């Protein structure tokens, strides 16, 4: 639609424009209901249909069998940092954590608060600019799970391949969920705040394999027990957020699902890294073997130039390019809903900017 | 707008139509941002403005001084059932609960899971059709707090006056929040799922007085510690839900705030109860001294007639009238955003229905 800019925000992040136009169209009346989707009971057939459709689409896109539970929870990925160990860290056992960034650290902190969480590997020594080589991981074969952050939103690194471990993986996939194919068999649980790759802020997608779910600690506070939410709506879900997620999933399926989006994401990332590498003016901060296809972090020769870049890019209709406040520099988040045209426009702007200030 | 019906849903519930039209207008581009409100960082100045405005409006409407913290959390009122005792039920102390309905019971259950929670009074003996008289309450003057459910959404009862106790009140105000004036001094904490009186599903408003906050247990899991959220955004809030809450609050202030809405709510409830009482065909289920001005529960002579009532009302453009699945009968939820015209239309339909089937 007219007046839309290219949005590289790290999250909440750009949504597919057709989804937004559908939402607009469905206000203030959804279908023939005489009321909007915001105003109906979560026990209504209309919401049940949305909930079921979103769950079916997730199963289909990821190839999840019946042994998987699909949950739409609240509290963000941050609440999962607590809920995962509360459910799955045994009183007399331990869990392993791979520390590859600030979010992984926070997840580890909450686990340690509850019990015996171990650092299996960390890349903190070089400011989280890489993913530790699996040969260096100190894995405990008796761990209840191995937790990792598949994509490190802040530092612009990403696991290039899924970890291999004897124990079930638990993955914070907040910033690369549904951006590429995965191997579900390796996982016990996958969680993702929706606001990067799959919807707006306000819903957290949680996938749990049933045999893993059955191992959880008991008893637990009702709302924090994953079992409470498996297979039923216990309390009021974040209706509107799930409604948008369902539309985003349909959009993704329409594109061709994960193989298709993976190819598109590969092209977008290649374009941008190629531009960064072409000259010394731009400098990628993640080590080449660990580069994220979702969050592309880079620096310019000076902080002053970086500020100017952000400001002039905004004038040129490219927003959300400022790096995370904890690391500085630039960050272009190029999630699923970021069109290749946005990346092309950014690359052109980078050319122009270097010509002018380089 | 054309095509809108009268919606008596218990929650998620009707929203003010001007709010919905504003939301529609602001899609897919919010102001001059070039992107929608769904797609921008929660650290952006634009969201900060919404967050601050919503909090300022809540303070103004309720007359809250600087000693109050205003929080927008996730997880629904149901997560508060756990979070309240986790923070405020001391290991070596206790808390009192007034059991006036299914939600109060659930709150009590979560508290008992964590420690010493006491039943100070209960109306379960007559199916929660009344509010126990304060003279019968067995209050512990050493309790950390007295928890009550100001309005019992399912049973259609409501505290006619605020409890008096030596200890701070903790109130689940989910279904009558901002429907009438309150006396903030009596409370330590007030929480409300937004989806009845103040917005869409997906955000829970929590008000905490600072001196009460300071008494909380320590240490706590980060996300469940109210202190984490007091005065700052710790993680991604449910942006869109807060954005709507802010609009609803502005709408409420525009009407004249709590004194004005209280008068309107009094009129709506009086109209409906007057009709119920006029003939024997309709029978209110709450004892007259405990009647809710938000959820008006009533029965017809037979279940068959009740089903017919729901079906024919829907045909007549009056939806959401079915009672809660756990109690049956009819329930008209007439929250703030339910216009008096809706109640008038319902009363007319009740006249017609009784003439035809009475
Ligand atoms: C990888 C990762 N994990 C967790 C979070 C925290 O998510 P939330 O704000 O939904 O709690 C983020 C947010 O940016 C993230 O990128
Ligand atoms: C009084 C009251 N408390 C708590 C709840 C539960 O709220 P939620 O579904 O947001 O957890 C409800 C929901 O109807 C309610 O009416
Ligand atoms: Mg990170
Ligand atoms: Mg370079
Ligand atoms: Mg109730
Ligand atoms: Mg009567």
């Amino acid at each position: 639609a007219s007046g839309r800019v290219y949005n590289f925000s790290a999250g909440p992040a750009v949504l597919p424009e057709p989804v937004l136009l559908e939402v607009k169209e469905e206000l203030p009346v959804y279908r023939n209901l005489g009321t909007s989707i915001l105003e109906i009971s979560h026990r209504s057939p209309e919401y049940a249909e949305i909930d079921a459709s979103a769950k079916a689409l997730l199963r289909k896109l990821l190839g999840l069998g019946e042994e998987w539970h699909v949950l739409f929870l609240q509290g963000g990925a941050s609440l999962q940092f607590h809920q995962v160990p509360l459910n799955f860290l045994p009183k007399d056992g331990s869990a392993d954590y791979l520390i590859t960034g600030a979010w992984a650290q926070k997840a580890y902190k909450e686990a340690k608060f509850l019990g015996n969480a171990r650092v299996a590997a960390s890349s903190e020594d070089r400011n989280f600019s890489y993913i530790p080589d699996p040969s260096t991981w100190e894995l405990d074969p008796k761990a209840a799970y191995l937790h990792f952050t598949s994509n490190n939103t802040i530092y612009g690194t990403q696991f290039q391949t899924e970890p291999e471990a004897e124990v079930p993986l638990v993955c914070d996939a907040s910033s690369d969920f549904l951006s590429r194919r995965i191997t579900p068999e390796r996982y016990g649980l996958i969680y993702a705040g929706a606001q990067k790759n799959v919807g707006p802020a306000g819903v957290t997608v949680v996938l749990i394999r049933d045999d893993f779910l059955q191992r959880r600690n008991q008893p637990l506070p009702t709302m924090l027990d994953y079992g409470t939410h498996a297979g039923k709506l216990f309390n009021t879900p974040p209706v509107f957020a799930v409604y948008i997620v369902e539309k985003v999933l349909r959009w993704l399926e329409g594109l061709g699902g994960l193989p298709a989006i993976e190819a598109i994401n590969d092209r977008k990332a290649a374009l941008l890294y190629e531009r960064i590498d072409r000259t010394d003016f731009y400098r990628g901060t993640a080590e080449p073997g660990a580069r994220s296809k979702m969050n592309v972090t880079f620096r310019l020769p000076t902080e002053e130039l970086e500020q100017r870049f952000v400001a002039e890019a905004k004038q040129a209709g490219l927003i959300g390019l400022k790096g995370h406040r904890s690391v500085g520099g630039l960050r272009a988040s190029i999630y699923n809903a970021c069109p290749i045209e946005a990346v092309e426009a950014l690359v052109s702007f980078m050319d122009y900017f270097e010509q002018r200030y380089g």
Side-chain angles (χ1 to χ4, degrees), chain A residues 127 154-155 297 299 323-329:
Chain A
N127 198 30
I154 295 176
Y155 301 94
T297 50
R299 310 234 35 169
H324 189 273
R325 57 209 158 104
S326 68
V327 298

Side-chain angles (χ1 to χ4, degrees), chain A residues 118-296:
Chain A
R118 287 178 63 253
V119 176
S122 169
S123 53
E124 195 176 5
D125 59 345
R126 292 203 305 275
N127 198 30
F128 298 123
S129 61
Y130 69 106
I131 304 289
D133 191 87
S135 67
T136 68
W137 300 355
E138 293 174 21
L139 296 181
D140 177 355
K142 294 214 187 68
Y145 57 84
L146 172 62
H147 183 280
F148 76 112
T149 312
S150 51
N151 184 75
N152 299 284
T153 325
I154 295 176
Y155 301 94
T157 66
Q158 186 176 24
F159 281 77
Q160 309 293 300
T161 57
E162 294 160 286
E164 282 184 60
E166 290 175 52
V167 306
L169 300 178
V170 170
C171 180
D172 175 359
S174 293
S175 53
D176 67 357
F177 189 56
L178 299 180
S179 72
R180 58 179 181 184
R181 286 163 291 181
I182 61 164
T183 317
E185 302 78 62
R186 298 196 190 170
Y187 298 82
L189 189 153
I190 300 172
Y191 62 93
Q195 68 269 17
K196 291 146 201 315
N197 244 337
V198 68
V203 63
T204 310
V205 181
V206 179
L207 311 173
I208 312 182
R209 225 181 47 212
D210 190 63
D211 60 339
F212 191 66
L213 177 67
Q214 300 314 330
R215 295 187 207 169
R216 72 194 185 281
N217 298 321
Q218 284 292 304
L220 292 170
T222 308
M223 275 294 287
L224 296 176
D225 181 344
Y226 288 110
T228 297
H229 306 282
K232 65 183 177 299
L233 284 187
F234 176 72
N235 75 324
T236 318
V239 170
F240 187 78
V242 176
Y243 156 81
I244 294 192
V245 165
E246 195 269 344
K247 289 185 192 298
V248 171
L249 295 173
R250 269 197 282 124
W251 167 84
L252 184 53
E253 208 212 359
L255 278 186
L258 298 196
I261 200 74
E262 184 171 339
I264 297 170
N265 287 333
D266 284 352
R267 278 172 57 211
K268 289 187 301 190
L271 261 179
L272 198 45
Y273 284 116
E274 190 281 321
R275 178 62 195 87
I276 289 169
D277 291 340
R278 203 186 310 152
T279 63
D280 289 340
F281 187 73
Y282 299 108
R283 184 170 44 84
T285 60
E287 296 189 9
R291 284 174 162 181
S292 167
K293 288 176 179 161
M294 296 283 103
N295 310 98
V296 177

